[in-house]
């Protein structure tokens, strides 16, 4: 099966059937930038390179042989809604950042980190550093600052701790991780 046909036509139709989606993904030939990456705890991410960035399209649970669509090929987060974002923490961000959050726009780097005690950190970049716009000669750089928000998902891709702008407060991210791990045990 062609990867493009799979992603555009087949995957959206089996999204409600995690076992079927898992079997299709595991049978896919890993070509055209498609790759299955181990994330620990018998979990993996099926990702695709889109515009030079690896995009985590599917979360795979090898223990249950289930897969869940995390992002679509239009770079939209599939399992996130307004209630999954701590909007107070985004106060003061640019209108562009807020629009990207409302639209679930994951055009800029978004990563599912390794699983630990049943949860994984997800980083979602709403705005890149100004070097993103720079060409190979150094022209085009802007004074944009990177804005990245963080949340935690469980083994089915459900958000257990809302996305939040931690503003470089790494102890806040550690507290979010502890909360997520506690909730995942329940």
């Amino acid at each position: 099966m062609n990867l493009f046909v799979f992603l555009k036509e087949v995957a959206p139709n089996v999204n409600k059937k995690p076992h079927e989606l898992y079997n299709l993904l595991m049978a896919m030939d890993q070509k055209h930038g498609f790759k299955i990456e181990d994330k620990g705890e018998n979990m993996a991410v099926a990702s695709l390179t889109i515009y030079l960035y690896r995009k985590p399209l599917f979360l795979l649970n090898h223990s249950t042989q289930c897969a869940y669509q995390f992002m679509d090929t239009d770079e939209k987060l599939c399992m996130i809604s307004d209630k999954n974002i701590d909007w107070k923490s985004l106060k003061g961000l640019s209108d562009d950042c807020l629009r990207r959050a409302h639209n679930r726009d994951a055009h800029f780097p978004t990563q599912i980190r390794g699983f630990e005690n049943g949860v994984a950190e997800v980083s979602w970049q709403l705005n890149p550093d100004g070097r993103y716009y720079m060409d190979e000669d150094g022209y085009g750089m802007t004074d944009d600052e990177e804005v990245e928000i963080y949340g935690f998902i469980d083994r089915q891709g459900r958000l257990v701790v809302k996305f939040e702008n931690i503003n470089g407060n790494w102890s806040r991210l550690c507290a979010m991780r502890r909360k997520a791990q506690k909730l995942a045990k329940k």
Side-chain angles (χ1 to χ4, degrees), residues 6-185:
F6 174 78
L7 292 172
K8 287 290 186 184
E9 297 174 16
V10 178
N13 295 325
V14 296
N15 197 31
K16 301 274 191 254
K17 301 172 186 167
H19 288 291
E20 184 180 343
L21 182 57
Y22 178 87
N23 291 333
L24 285 168
L25 287 166
M26 294 308 292
M28 287 293 299
D29 188 10
Q30 294 185 40
K31 291 182 182 175
H32 312 291
F34 181 71
K35 182 178 179 184
I36 295 179
E37 305 168 84
D38 179 48
K39 294 297 177 179
E41 296 188 354
N42 220 14
M43 298 294 295
V45 169
S47 61
L48 181 68
T49 300
I50 302 174
Y51 301 115
L52 303 177
Y53 293 106
R54 296 219 57 83
K55 300 295 181 167
L57 300 183
F58 301 96
L59 181 66
L60 299 126
N61 184 329
H62 295 306
S63 297
T64 62
Q65 295 188 341
C66 289
Y68 309 91
Q69 188 168 15
F70 184 76
M71 181 187 300
D72 66 21
T73 55
D74 293 326
E75 301 173 280
K76 303 284 184 209
L77 298 178
C78 298
M79 301 183 78
I80 308 301
S81 68
D82 274 352
K83 68 180 182 177
N84 300 132
I85 299 170
D86 178 352
W87 293 102
K88 289 180 186 176
S89 75
L90 274 58
K91 187 177 179 182
L93 294 182
S94 72
D95 289 342
D96 284 341
C97 286
L98 295 174
R99 179 185 46 77
R100 289 180 190 121
H102 277 289
N103 292 335
R104 312 302 171 262
D105 182 345
H107 173 71
F108 302 117
T110 300
Q111 298 179 36
I112 298 174
R113 309 251 193 257
F115 273 80
E116 186 179 317
N117 297 319
V119 297
E121 172 189 317
V122 177
S123 62
W124 175 14
Q125 193 175 98
L126 297 178
N127 197 66
D129 170 294
R131 291 175 290 184
Y132 173 86
Y133 301 103
M134 182 173 65
D135 67 15
E136 63 275 354
D137 295 323
Y139 294 104
M141 185 170 157
T142 67
D143 61 355
D144 283 335
E145 290 190 29
E146 182 177 295
V147 175
E148 195 163 43
I149 62 177
Y150 299 87
F152 286 84
I153 59 172
D154 68 10
R155 297 172 62 81
Q156 294 179 330
R158 297 177 300 216
L159 207 69
V160 291
V161 172
K162 290 181 181 186
F163 279 100
E164 184 177 322
N165 182 9
I166 64 167
N167 293 311
N169 181 350
W170 301 111
S171 62
R172 177 66 192 134
L173 186 62
C174 290
M176 290 169 65
R177 178 183 306 280
R178 285 190 301 275
K179 179 180 178 182
Q181 290 173 344
K182 186 177 180 181
L183 290 170
K185 285 182 181 179

